[in-house]
Amino acid sequence: MILPPERDPRLTTVRRGGTLTDADHRLLALWAVACAEHVLPLVEAERPDDPRPRAALEAVRGWVRGEVGMMASRAAGGHAMGAARDLRGASRFAAYACGQAACVAHVAAHDLGAAAYALKAVRAAAAPGEAEAAGRAECAWQRAQLPQAVRGLVLEDQERRNPLCWDLFHT
């Protein structure tokens, strides 16, 4: 469960009563794609013939460009998460990261789902005894990818939702 019971209005679009602009919503989606794409090789190494995780990232990129509808991006996210179901470890978490990224088109707060699952993937792929260090390095990498316009929002949201995201966002 990565979504809180009460939604942050800063992560709800203006047309739904929140304060998130469409431009910032697209930036959150692109950041989520970057997080998921960073671990995509983990799932593609396990299942090179399964196009669903990569297709989810392509769908949300299309949504950002206005070429794909929100429902299609969300559906692609569901298919990527379906690809995860029979996987284990790093590849499973990487597929979930791709699915969460595609769902940002529907609910912006899925951005942290993509980031958190990517962190879980990196930690699971790490050598024995290196998971914590790998997770910290990945968290730092993710934060370096944050667009300045949404950086403060994401960092505050990571602090707020860290317990829901397996305490993976280290400060």
Side-chain angles (χ1 to χ4, degrees):
M1 173 83 169
I2 56 127
L3 298 176
E6 292 182 32
R7 299 232 172 128
D8 185 336
R10 298 172 306 160
L11 290 167
T12 303
T13 58
V14 172
R15 70 184 155 283
R16 290 191 175 168
T19 61
L20 185 67
T21 66
D22 288 342
D24 286 350
H25 191 178
R26 288 189 294 272
L27 289 175
L28 291 172
L30 290 173
W31 178 69
V33 167
C35 293
E37 193 167 51
H38 203 228
V39 297
L40 181 61
L42 295 171
V43 70
E44 289 186 332
E46 183 79 18
R47 295 280 164 80
D49 295 332
D50 191 339
R52 294 176 290 178
R54 182 174 292 279
L57 300 181
E58 291 170 5
V60 72
R61 278 194 189 99
W63 174 79
V64 167
R65 292 188 304 267
E67 300 165 1
V68 171
M70 177 276 291
M71 292 295 286
S73 184
R74 184 178 79 169
H79 294 306
M81 289 187 265
R85 287 192 188 105
D86 67 338
L87 297 171
R88 297 291 172 260
S91 60
R92 179 184 182 117
F93 299 136
Y96 277 131
C98 294
Q100 290 286 314
C103 289
V104 173
H106 179 244
V107 174
H110 280 288
D111 67 328
L112 287 195
Y117 275 111
L119 287 167
K120 285 180 72 99
V122 165
R123 290 173 59 104
E130 298 296 322
E132 183 71 24
R136 286 187 186 278
E138 182 68 11
C139 189
W141 180 88
Q142 290 178 354
R143 288 177 176 175
Q145 309 313 302
L146 277 167
Q148 193 59 39
V150 295
R151 183 176 180 77
L153 172 62
V154 171
L155 294 178
E156 287 176 25
D157 196 33
Q158 284 182 343
E159 185 175 326
R160 183 174 71 95
R161 286 199 284 156
N162 196 32
L164 293 175
C165 296
W166 309 284
D167 293 312
L168 294 170
F169 298 114
H170 300 289
T171 56

